[in-house]
Amino acid sequence: MPQLIATVEGVEIKHVYLTKDRTTLGRKPGNDIVLDNLVVSGNHCAFELKGLADVYIEDLGSTNGTFVNNRRVKERQLLHDGDTIAIGHFRIQFLTASGDSGFGQTTAFDSMMGAAPLHASFQVLNGSSSGLEVPVVKAVTTFGKPGVTVVAVSHRRNGFFVAHLDGETVPTLNGQPLKADPVLLADGDVLDLAGTRMAFQLREQ
């Protein structure tokens, strides 16, 4: 089932499953999703569900605009798994039920279905917090410093994915720049957030 996870500075404030044909978002209390903040217009945007998982976003003539992956929404457009919607300082991640990345169709993934649950975490490799282990337990966990660089790590049925969410400093994964498109994480991957290096770890619980 498609879902929206809204955060402010990395703190989750709303988690909404899209079950209606049309879901509206805005500041006015009559909306399905109410974000009571002046950066949000009374009727800001709408999400239209087609079929089982196709979701389209439409800006409703908002004052401050609706942005998907840092691009302003000018006309009705299809959302893709992992897309980040920005409205002022709100960040809303869109996740589909299918997590259609292709990994779910592989033999390796099928063999994992009967395996023990995996525990995911990041271990800080440098700086004053070196050695600190930070567990990844929520559907979406954010890391980094707002305004500098922030990444979102999402837990889906076919693994853990990381994407660049915010900030001018581009984070890297194993030395390669991260973009807004989610990338599947593997055990031992090294994430660099503006000089802070963290190793991703997957362990059986």
Side-chain angles (χ1 to χ4, degrees), residues 182-200:
V183 177
L184 180 67
L185 286 166
D187 183 46
D189 280 351
V190 176
L191 186 63
D192 190 316
L193 298 175
T196 299
R197 299 174 70 247
M198 304 190 303
F200 183 67

Side-chain angles (χ1 to χ4, degrees), residues 96-171:
T96 67
S98 61
D100 187 15
S101 65
F103 291 104
Q105 305 304 318
T106 65
T107 303
F109 177 69
D110 291 338
S111 67
M112 288 171 58
M113 293 297 289
L118 295 176
H119 170 73
S121 65
F122 280 96
Q123 184 175 39
V124 182
L125 300 178
N126 63 342
S128 58
S129 299
S130 181
L132 176 68
E133 185 173 323
V134 183
V136 181
V137 294
K138 297 195 299 182
V140 178
T141 307
T142 57
F143 297 92
K145 184 177 181 180
V148 180
T149 187
V150 177
V151 298
V153 177
S154 55
H155 182 195
R156 309 177 193 174
R157 68 181 181 87
N158 51 348
F160 292 83
F161 291 77
V162 62
H164 186 199
L165 185 65
D166 191 24
E168 295 182 357
T169 302
V170 178

